[in-house]
Amino acid sequence: MSADQRTAQLDAPLSETTRTVTLVSWKSAGVLLAVTALYALLLVAVPHSGDTRFLLSQRGDFFQIPVIVLPAAPLAWACGAVMLAATAFVVLRTARGSRTPMWVVAVFAFAGLTGFLAWAGAGSPRDLSVVGLLGGAVLWSVPFVYGALGGVIGERAGVINIAIESQLLGAAFTAGIVSSVTDSALIGLAAAVLAGALVSLVLGLFAITYHVNQVIVGVVLNVLVVGLTSFLYSQVLQDDAATLNSTTRFSSIPIPVLSDIPVLGPVLFDQPLLIYLMFLAVPAVWYALNRTRWGLRLRAVGEHPKAADTVGIDVVRTRYNAVLVAGAVAGLGGAFYTTVYLSQFGENMTGGAGYIALAAVIFGKWDPVRAAFAGLLFGFASNLQNVLSVVGSPVPSQFMLMVPYVVTLLAVAGLVGRSRPPAASGEPYIKG
């Protein structure tokens, strides 16, 4: 083999990687351009005039931040100009073969959100509460974050957890009944953890032991739990709702001093117990995956199970452990619906949150911290419709219901960048 041929072989993978990076960058630029065009079309088609009032503080803070009053139309158009400049910057960098910096995407998102809120709140007699917007985002992100953490744990061990939706719904149903019977939200939370782990055990039985396609098993479990909970809801809970479907919910626990900090105090330090556990769960999962022997073995099984088996790691046992832990963590997210959000279980009340959590796993590139931030993003999108309805926004409610799913599509399709799942994710291990 000549020297030129060897050089060509070495350059081939590099050129393929370069083409992939360029394609992803052009995809991101296309998404930014499409969002900017839709934003401009909205401002032109439905112009708004008047001022928008931004409320940044609440009573009880160390000091009061006055309501900020800004002219809606100039602010919206100025934000549009920032979005256009960011899009042009991304296009130029992509044309030169460079990647899209995350800070540009952050600036683009902040400008777009600020302009949209200014446009939506123009002329409204009510203040647009930033505290309510952020606090509601944290609250609504709970099932997404817990579900994403469960998805990360399962997939890092090589098991695709499509069944997050069934784990959330089964946990919500179980927590609702147990909390109603025992009159204790804490016992209901423990029952939700067990329910999530039980659904995961079924997933592990078919996917790990019997080597059934993991995606098919996950989809079947989602449909099964929806049907089972709907049947029990109509046949059991509705007949005796006062006893079996009247849950005790967690109340907010304000942390002294910290809860009085303007803006961030009510958002982070005046929340129910389940949210505080979420703040602890994210670093705990990261530490367990990256700094413990258990996490090292789990990641080894997810990347190269044959090599892990060779050095004495029990692949099947490790995957079962990961799946059970993943289901238990997702069960915490399911408990949110009946121990925090509502005082009763409702038919199919998760509404596809498990699928959004799965998108957060991909958006977060199978990292627990990034996946948690993705869950916060989707929670923010879910809460946005509530805030805009309060200020009397002219945006149709049907459109706002689409927001979290549109954000999910944009995140996965163009803004996630290049991500690689664990090498053995979805692959059954047959010891030979």
Side-chain angles (χ1 to χ4, degrees):
M1 181 181 295
S2 64
D4 293 339
Q5 290 176 328
R6 287 195 296 270
T7 303
Q9 287 183 348
L10 292 174
D11 290 342
L14 182 61
S15 61
E16 181 66 26
T17 301
T18 303
R19 283 194 297 269
T20 302
V21 172
T22 303
L23 178 61
V24 171
S25 298
W26 278 117
K27 190 189 300 183
S28 300
V31 170
L32 297 185
L33 184 60
V35 173
T36 303
L38 289 175
Y39 177 85
L41 180 62
L42 181 66
L43 296 184
V44 172
V46 191
H48 278 189
S49 60
D51 295 330
T52 301
R53 300 166 54 89
F54 293 92
L55 178 64
L56 297 176
S57 62
Q58 294 178 332
R59 296 168 60 183
D61 294 335
F62 287 126
F63 57 90
Q64 290 290 326
I65 301 177
V67 176
I68 300 177
V69 182
L70 297 173
L75 178 59
W77 282 108
C79 291
V82 174
M83 294 169 66
L84 184 61
T87 303
F89 179 76
V90 171
V91 170
L92 290 176
R93 283 185 61 90
T94 303
R96 296 174 182 175
S98 302
R99 297 190 179 188
T100 300
M102 286 305 300
W103 67 266
V104 177
V105 178
V107 169
F108 179 91
F110 179 79
L113 177 63
T114 303
F116 179 77
L117 291 177
W119 173 85
S124 174
R126 299 186 179 182
D127 299 333
L128 186 60
S129 175
V130 177
V131 174
L133 183 62
L134 297 178
V138 173
L139 193 66
W140 273 102
S141 68
V142 171
F144 303 144
V145 172
Y146 279 121
L149 291 177
V152 169
I153 294 172
E155 293 211 28
R156 293 297 289 270
V159 180
I160 300 177
N161 195 358
I162 301 292
I164 298 175
E165 177 73 7
S166 61
Q167 292 158 11
L168 292 176
L169 187 59
F173 178 81
T174 306
I177 293 180
V178 174
S179 177
S180 300
V181 172
T182 63
D183 197 25
S184 171
L186 197 59
I187 298 178
L189 180 63
V193 172
L194 294 177
L198 179 61
V199 176
S200 286
L201 181 61
V202 178
L203 171 65
L205 179 64
F206 285 96
I208 301 174
T209 301
Y210 294 108
H211 308 139
V212 180
N213 185 283
Q214 297 174 8
V215 175
I216 295 177
V217 174
V219 173
V220 169
L221 276 177
N222 290 339
V223 177
L224 174 64
V225 173
V226 168
L228 181 61
T229 55
S230 297
F231 172 77
L232 294 176
Y233 172 75
S234 61
Q235 298 298 318
V236 179
L237 298 189
Q238 284 189 332
D239 293 339
D240 194 6
T243 303
L244 299 177
N245 199 19
S246 181
T247 65
T248 300
R249 295 190 295 169
F250 288 106
S251 58
S252 296
I253 306 175
I255 299 179
V257 180
L258 295 178
S259 60
D260 292 329
I261 299 175
V263 183
L264 293 181
V267 172
L268 299 178
F269 306 113
D270 190 4
Q271 297 284 5
L273 174 64
L274 197 57
I275 282 77
Y276 294 133
L277 291 178
M278 182 181 72
F279 296 155
L280 298 176
V282 175
V285 171
W286 178 89
Y287 183 85
L289 286 177
N290 297 282
R291 293 291 185 270
T292 66
R293 179 181 299 178
W294 176 81
L296 177 62
R297 293 183 175 184
L298 186 147
R299 288 183 287 117
V301 165
E303 290 292 342
H304 202 310
K306 184 65 176 178
D309 191 10
T310 302
V311 298
I313 298 175
D314 191 330
V315 176
V316 172
R317 181 178 179 180
T318 302
R319 285 188 170 181
Y320 262 111
N321 287 338
V323 166
L324 289 175
V325 172
V329 173
L332 292 172
F336 161 81
Y337 291 99
T338 48
T339 61
V340 175
Y341 177 50
L342 292 176
S343 296
Q344 61 180 0
F345 176 81
E347 190 174 0
N348 197 20
M349 66 187 310
T350 53
Y355 299 107
I356 297 180
L358 187 63
V361 174
I362 301 172
F363 188 42
K365 300 182 179 181
W366 292 268
D367 177 80
V369 176
R370 292 181 178 180
F373 278 113
L376 286 172
L377 172 64
F378 299 140
F380 182 90
S382 299
N383 183 56
L384 188 59
Q385 57 178 311
N386 301 325
V387 174
L388 293 183
S389 63
V390 170
V391 300
S393 170
V395 181
S397 59
Q398 295 85 354
F399 175 81
M400 294 311 303
L401 289 173
M402 297 179 351
V403 168
Y405 304 100
V406 172
V407 172
T408 302
L409 289 174
L410 293 177
V412 176
L415 300 181
V416 66
R418 189 186 182 193
S419 59
R420 185 189 69 83
S425 181
E427 298 294 332
Y429 179 68
I430 303 174
K431 188 171 183 178

